[in-house]
Amino acid sequence: SIESFFDYENVNMGDILVCKFVANGKPITDLRTVAFLTKMNETMSLFREKKVTRCCLYFHVGKLKMPTNLKLLKEYSDIFKQNKDILEKKLQFTIIQSSNNVFRMFFKLFKQFYTPIKPMYLCKNDEQTNNCLNDSNLRSNLPTFNVSQS
C-alpha cells in the first residue's frame, strides 16, 4: 500500500468525533495525493453514518511539504463542495495546527477554491489545539479564517 504524507486517527471525544490528519514529512507525490484524497472521501462517508452526530477535522501540518500542484488544492476543495450538506449538518469546526506562516498563505490559496462553511481555527501548538478541542471559550479567542455565510 502507498504510504501517505499524513498519519490518520479517529478519536471519540465525548459526543464529537475528531478526525486527525498529522503530516509525517513524506514528500507529496501523485500516488500519495490520490491516497490522501481517497482518505478524505472515506472521512466524509464516515461523517454520513447515523452514529456520527458531531465531528471535527484536525490537520497538524507542521511537517507537511508545501504542495506545488494547484490541482491538488482544487481536487481537495471539491471534496468539501460535494459534501457541503453533511458538513453543514455535522462538522463543528476544523483545526489547522502549524507554527509556520507559510501555511497561512497556503490556506489563503485554498480559500480561492473553497470558502469554509464552518469555523477554521489556526493553532500554533499542541496546547492551543487541546484548548480548541475542549474549551469553547478559549476556542472563540483563537485566530480563524473567514467562514461563508451561505
Side-chain angles (χ1 to χ4, degrees), residues 102-121:
V102 172
F103 273 94
R104 292 170 190 259
M105 293 186 315
F106 171 79
F107 283 103
K108 285 181 180 159
L109 192 60
F110 170 67
K111 282 187 55 188
Q112 291 180 3
F113 297 99
Y114 175 77
T115 302
I117 53 177
K118 294 291 178 102
M120 186 180 275
Y121 297 102

Side-chain angles (χ1 to χ4, degrees), residues 7-80:
D7 296 327
Y8 310 106
E9 182 183 13
N10 294 331
V11 180
N12 281 308
M13 295 185 65
D15 67 340
I16 191 166
L17 175 68
V18 178
C19 296
K20 292 176 153 184
F21 295 78
V22 180
N24 55 28
K26 290 184 174 67
I28 295 175
T29 63
D30 287 347
L31 285 174
R32 286 183 179 142
T33 296
V34 170
F36 169 69
L37 294 171
T38 300
K39 186 64 179 178
M40 281 306 304
N41 276 311
E42 289 170 3
T43 300
M44 296 299 149
S45 294
L46 179 64
F47 288 177
R48 291 188 180 282
E49 292 181 12
K50 272 196 171 128
K51 66 182 178 190
V52 176
T53 56
R54 300 172 70 226
C55 50
C56 159
L57 291 168
Y58 163 39
F59 296 91
H60 187 315
V61 296
K63 290 184 180 176
L64 188 64
K65 310 282 189 240
M66 280 299 287
T68 54
N69 185 347
L70 291 183
K71 186 174 170 238
L72 165 61
L73 278 178
K74 184 184 180 318
E75 290 178 13
Y76 177 64
S77 65
D78 285 346
I79 291 171
F80 287 87

Side-chain angles (χ1 to χ4, degrees), residues 118-149:
K118 294 291 178 102
M120 186 180 275
Y121 297 102
L122 291 170
C123 297
K124 289 186 174 166
N125 53 44
D126 291 340
E127 181 184 357
Q128 268 192 351
T129 296
N130 285 330
N131 289 340
C132 186
L133 283 168
N134 296 302
D135 188 326
S136 59
N137 291 330
L138 289 169
R139 183 166 51 238
S140 65
N141 293 318
L142 288 170
T144 181
F145 284 108
N146 294 340
V147 177
S148 74
Q149 303 301 317

